[in-house]
């Protein structure tokens, strides 16, 4: 008859239990992934004219072309949100769009010096390659960074922190060049 309760089996079982406890304590499912966003942004209560700098793709997808648009913001309207709305509408001066036709504009929230761009569900099914995804994410981030004092842009997907968009990691924020 074999002995199952040996010193090595007990030590192995203890080591296994310690490993499981450490795994459960550090599991991402146990950590909160919630980002508390402001319920309202403070914007001027009078119409104002601003010049937006929008980043569209070059036709050969080797970089960006900046299109400047003068728009009038309604009372309380955010320049960040309007810039992304205009970006999604597409270019007017010969550049290539970075957002597929018919896609909704992401929502932008600002807290301190960080802008949060919340991508709707359709952005999870882009079907872009690495170049298209890079142009999309960086085009949105640079467009938001050029509209005001924010210093970095973080991406959310359906209200939750986004780790990736297709092939592109979104774990680190995109920051203004220094």
């Amino acid at each position: 008859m074999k002995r199952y309760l040996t010193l090595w089996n007990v030590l192995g079982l203890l080591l296994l239990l310690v490993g499981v406890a450490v795994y459960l304590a550090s599991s991402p499912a146990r950590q909160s992934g919630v980002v508390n966003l402001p319920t309202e942004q403070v914007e001027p209560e009078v119409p104002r004219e601003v010049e937006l700098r929008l980043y569209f793709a070059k036709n050969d997808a080797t970089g960006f072309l900046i299109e400047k648009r003068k728009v009038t913001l309604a009372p309380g309207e955010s320049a960040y949100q309007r810039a992304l709305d205009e970006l999604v509408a597409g270019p007017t001066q010969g550049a290539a769009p970075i957002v597929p036709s018919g896609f909704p504009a992401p929502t932008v929230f600002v807290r301190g010096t960080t802008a949060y761009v919340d991508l709707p569900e359709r952005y999870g099914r882009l079907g872009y390659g690495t170049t298209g995804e890079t142009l999309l994410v960086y085009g949105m981030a640079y467009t938001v960074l050029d509209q005001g004092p924010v210093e970095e842009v973080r991406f959310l997907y359906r209200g939750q922190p986004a780790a990736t968009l297709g092939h592109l990691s979104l774990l680190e924020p995109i920051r203004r060049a220094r």
Side-chain angles (χ1 to χ4, degrees):
M1 184 156 121
K2 295 182 180 181
R3 285 186 32 183
Y4 292 108
L5 195 58
T6 66
L7 175 64
W8 293 111
N9 287 348
V10 170
L11 288 176
L13 180 61
L14 286 174
L15 185 62
L16 177 68
L17 292 174
V18 168
V20 168
V22 168
Y23 172 75
L24 290 176
S26 65
S27 173
R30 300 238 182 239
Q31 297 172 356
S32 175
V34 175
V35 176
N36 293 322
L37 299 174
T39 55
E40 61 184 71
Q41 298 172 356
V42 178
E43 296 293 335
E45 294 299 321
V46 295
R48 61 192 163 114
E49 188 171 296
V50 296
E51 183 177 80
L52 304 175
R53 291 173 43 97
L54 310 174
Y55 286 75
F56 293 105
K58 290 183 179 178
N59 287 322
D60 61 0
T62 59
F64 295 105
L65 290 175
I66 299 172
E67 183 177 311
K68 295 179 181 179
R69 290 189 194 167
K70 287 191 185 272
V71 298
T72 301
L73 298 178
E77 184 178 13
S78 163
Y80 302 109
Q81 186 64 54
R82 180 66 179 271
L84 284 187
D85 292 343
E86 295 288 326
L87 189 71
V88 169
T92 60
Q93 300 173 2
I98 61 171
V99 179
S101 178
F103 270 53
T107 306
V108 182
F109 302 95
V110 177
R111 173 167 282 165
T113 60
T114 302
Y116 295 89
V117 176
D118 188 9
L119 301 171
E121 186 173 354
R122 284 189 72 185
Y123 286 80
R125 301 184 305 269
L126 279 172
Y128 276 6
T130 306
T131 302
E133 292 164 357
T134 302
L135 289 170
L136 173 77
V137 168
Y138 281 86
M140 285 185 180
Y142 293 161
T143 295
V144 170
L145 287 169
D146 273 4
Q147 306 317 314
V150 297
E151 294 177 7
E152 65 181 19
V153 176
R154 290 191 172 269
F155 284 88
L156 308 174
Y157 177 66
R158 297 181 342 178
Q160 298 296 317
T164 62
L165 179 67
H167 308 91
L168 191 64
S169 172
L170 299 176
L171 293 174
E172 294 295 320
I174 297 172
R175 291 187 171 87
R176 184 180 304 281
R178 298 199 186 263

